Amino acid sequence: MMRVMPASAAKVEYSPRGVLSFSESTPWGNMTAIFTYCLANELFTFSAVNLDGEKVNTGTWSDNIGPFNADGKWVGGNHFDSKGNFTARTVSVEIAADLDVLDPEKDYTIDCKILTVTVKNLIGLSDTRPFAWERVTYTVAGNSIEVEVEHDYICVRPVTVATYYGMQSMFDNEKEILLPGAGLGSWIPVDRGDVNILKKDAPELNLCIESSGNAMQASYLMKEDLGTHEYLGDNHNVYTHSDLGKSYHSLMRYHTVEPGTVTRWHGVYSWFRAPVKDTFAAHDADPYVVYGAYIGGAPCLVTASDDGHITTAPYIRPVEKEYHYDIHVFDTGVMIPDSEQGGSVFDTAGRLLHSGPGLHRLGGGIYIINGRNGATKIRVR
């Protein structure tokens, strides 16, 4: 059976004052995410992320989860109206650790594998003109914050959304960005100025990776619902990087939402020291990048090529000096003891590579070991 390891020892701390933190050690760095009431509208969302003790994301001066420009007015997120009034407010927050809902009136310091934060916001065009219910579910595990957003439009008449930046990035101290799917073939220095990518030029662009030189952030917009870019025209930007240091996945441009309709999007923010593999840096002819993330609460490897093709695969944690059925697995191969006379090593296609006791050297990869207690799958570096 494939050994997929979930997040294992995350620490969650919560205060009724409205501060929530999640800290986890992962193969790609130690992440701490802070949630609190912030932005101009004091919405409950993630306000800061640290990686190995270094601040890598700050969502207090602008949005991570974006606002709407609706009927010519910016509403939601970090935007007041022209009179300085709120344009959104958090109505309810539910916090669950491994599906156990926490009492919001108590302090907590607990361990869990997966933290789920469900937030309900009301977005209005004015005090008397509601626009939409915004339901945001944050699934926090490992080195990632997975975001699922649903808008239920409760406006009394159709409203034209000139712009909706759903998934934004507030990564700190970025120096370069990578846009698999843009066909650019390399990292882009941010001091080059604004970057605007049109849908007609890069219809498969759903991933942005930013680098500060010390850390990286991936903002992966899933290719479902609004992530298919259905509500963008060919000449609209599918992605924008501004000289303010913000990156945007655009989700709507000049689209009219009808009362009673619903839209959704789904994305995953991940933080890591470096990619597992990056051939963009070498300017290969067909470059691709691989990085580690947690999706659905489980570790995986995300692979993205320059044509925008993105795949995910379960991450199998490298094993060193660990025994499986008395078989010693280490970083260059396996040692089958004398007690395992029938022990055999196969590749994933089922071809026999080695049999019998002794030291068997293997290249990096995934192998199947048959022993007296059955078969197990291993990874060798």
Side-chain angles (χ1 to χ4, degrees):
M1 184 177 69
M2 188 173 291
R3 301 178 63 251
V4 179
M5 303 293 291
S8 56
K11 176 189 254 185
V12 170
E13 297 181 282
Y14 171 74
S15 164
R17 294 186 299 276
V19 179
L20 171 70
S21 71
F22 173 97
S23 299
E24 169 68 311
S25 175
T26 82
W28 307 294
N30 300 330
M31 184 189 82
T32 298
I34 308 296
F35 286 75
T36 191
Y37 293 93
C38 60
L39 308 177
N41 288 297
E42 298 181 7
L43 304 180
F44 196 80
T45 184
F46 62 101
S47 61
V49 176
N50 296 334
L51 186 69
D52 293 337
E54 175 187 350
K55 185 173 67 175
V56 290
N57 183 285
T58 306
T60 53
W61 66 274
S62 191
D63 315 88
N64 276 304
I65 309 303
F68 289 85
N69 185 315
D71 274 358
K73 303 177 179 69
W74 284 103
V75 293
N78 197 44
H79 292 268
F80 290 139
D81 67 12
S82 59
K83 297 179 181 179
N85 299 316
F86 287 0
T87 59
R89 61 187 175 91
T90 292
V91 175
S92 65
V93 178
E94 182 180 277
I95 301 168
D98 293 341
L99 302 183
D100 293 328
V101 177
L102 304 185
D103 184 340
E105 301 303 320
K106 295 182 179 179
D107 288 292
Y108 289 91
T109 299
I110 58 176
D111 292 338
C112 74
K113 296 178 181 178
I114 300 172
L115 175 70
T116 306
V117 182
T118 305
V119 181
K120 186 176 182 180
N121 300 319
L122 178 63
I123 303 177
L125 296 173
S126 71
D127 290 341
T128 58
R129 291 175 56 202
F131 175 55
W133 285 113
E134 180 177 69
R135 297 179 180 87
V136 188
T137 301
Y138 302 94
T139 302
V140 191
N143 68 335
S144 302
I145 300 176
E146 185 168 359
V147 183
E148 296 172 88
V149 180
E150 177 180 285
H151 289 103
D152 183 357
Y153 299 102
I154 55 174
C155 41
V156 297
R157 59 172 178 77
V159 172
T160 298
V161 176
T163 303
Y164 174 45
Y165 298 126
M167 189 175 191
Q168 301 192 39
S169 165
M170 301 305 301
F171 184 68
D172 276 13
N173 300 317
E174 62 179 3
K175 301 293 190 300
E176 295 180 297
I177 56 175
L178 182 64
L179 301 173
L184 300 177
S186 64
W187 289 80
I188 307 165
V190 297
D191 59 10
R192 187 178 295 180
D194 289 355
V195 177
N196 295 295
I197 307 293
L198 300 180
K199 176 181 172 179
K200 67 180 181 182
D201 295 329
E204 299 300 318
L205 200 167
N206 281 63
L207 174 64
C208 169
I209 301 177
E210 299 162 272
S211 173
S212 66
N214 295 319
M216 294 185 178
Q217 173 184 298
S219 302
Y220 173 24
L221 174 66
M222 298 288 192
K223 297 181 180 182
E224 57 192 56
D225 299 311
L226 292 184
T228 65
H229 308 309
E230 175 184 359
Y231 297 139
L232 298 178
D234 285 345
N235 289 312
H236 293 146
N237 293 336
V238 72
Y239 169 85
T240 296
H241 178 271
S242 78
D243 58 7
L244 296 175
K246 297 176 63 173
S247 292
Y248 311 85
H249 283 297
S250 295
L251 297 183
M252 285 187 195
R253 290 284 285 166
Y254 298 102
H255 173 71
T256 299
V257 297
E258 299 285 342
T261 59
V262 176
T263 58
R264 301 176 179 86
W265 64 268
H266 178 194
V268 182
Y269 297 91
S270 304
W271 293 269
F272 43 93
R273 280 293 168 201
V276 175
K277 190 163 187 178
D278 171 23
T279 65
F280 283 89
H283 301 282
D284 279 11
D286 296 304
Y288 67 95
V289 64
V290 182
Y291 69 90
Y294 279 67
I295 299 177
C300 68
L301 296 176
V302 180
T303 300
S305 55
D306 204 27
D307 62 2
H309 185 60
I310 301 174
T311 59
T312 61
Y315 169 72
I316 301 176
R317 194 178 297 269
V319 176
E320 293 183 4
K321 298 182 180 178
E322 185 172 324
Y323 285 89
H324 293 277
Y325 307 116
D326 298 324
I327 296 173
H328 188 185
V329 182
F330 55 105
D331 59 357
T332 58
V334 296
M335 172 70 78
I336 298 178
D338 291 341
S339 60
E340 288 280 0
Q341 291 294 328
S344 302
V345 182
F346 297 84
D347 64 17
T348 54
R351 291 185 289 264
L352 177 65
L353 303 179
H354 302 283
S355 63
L359 173 64
H360 302 296
R361 296 197 176 276
L362 300 170
I366 298 172
Y367 301 91
I368 298 168
I369 307 296
N370 264 344
R372 56 190 169 88
N373 291 319
T376 187
K377 190 174 285 188
I378 64 166
R379 174 175 172 172
V380 174
R381 285 182 175 178

